[in-house]
Amino acid sequence: MTQRRRERRHVVIAAFDNEPEFLVCIGRVRAEIGRRRQRGQDFDPREHASGVVHEPGYLRRTANGHLVSRAFKRGIAGLRFEELEVPTNMAVFRSEHPRPSR
């Protein structure tokens, strides 16, 4: 008797530059899942195919966001984090005390 896994993960199959290529691939993957279900082969009823659009530079911004988060958690200051391009759900601001006038 084989034991079914309880853990589920998203698996990246491919990346595309245009929507028509994506639609052809997603159609093939969905058809394969449907064939396995019809034949009663080893399939998970929760298995499905989907896609997501990532804007150019997504991975770089995500990496920069992780860097900034880790630095702040460790109390690192003084670096020019505000110059990094971060994900759209983050913002970095610099706050300095005003210098006394002489």
Side-chain angles (χ1 to χ4, degrees):
M1 179 169 142
T2 60
Q3 203 173 24
R4 287 199 170 269
R5 292 181 61 162
R6 293 185 198 182
E7 182 178 313
R8 303 290 177 254
R9 293 182 186 256
H10 293 279
V11 177
V12 176
I13 295 176
F16 302 95
D17 290 330
N18 61 60
E19 188 176 8
E21 286 179 13
F22 163 72
L23 294 174
V24 168
C25 181
I26 200 92
R28 276 192 242 130
V29 171
R30 287 178 174 164
E32 175 58 30
I33 293 170
R35 283 191 293 276
R36 283 189 315 202
R37 285 184 178 160
Q38 286 177 344
R39 290 185 292 221
Q41 283 183 316
D42 185 36
F43 77 94
D44 183 336
R46 292 172 286 188
E47 184 177 12
H48 67 280
S50 63
V52 65
V53 175
H54 293 295
E55 296 297 321
Y58 162 79
L59 292 176
R60 182 187 66 253
R61 288 189 301 275
T62 300
N64 288 346
H66 286 292
L67 172 72
V68 169
S69 293
R70 288 190 313 267
F72 285 171
K73 285 177 186 173
R74 288 169 174 78
I76 298 172
L79 301 177
R80 306 215 48 93
F81 292 117
E82 71 277 3
E83 295 174 5
L84 290 175
E85 189 177 2
V86 294
T88 57
N89 64 339
M90 289 184 82
V92 179
F93 298 97
R94 181 178 213 76
S95 175
E96 296 179 2
H97 291 288
R99 296 188 179 174
S101 56
R102 297 180 193 225

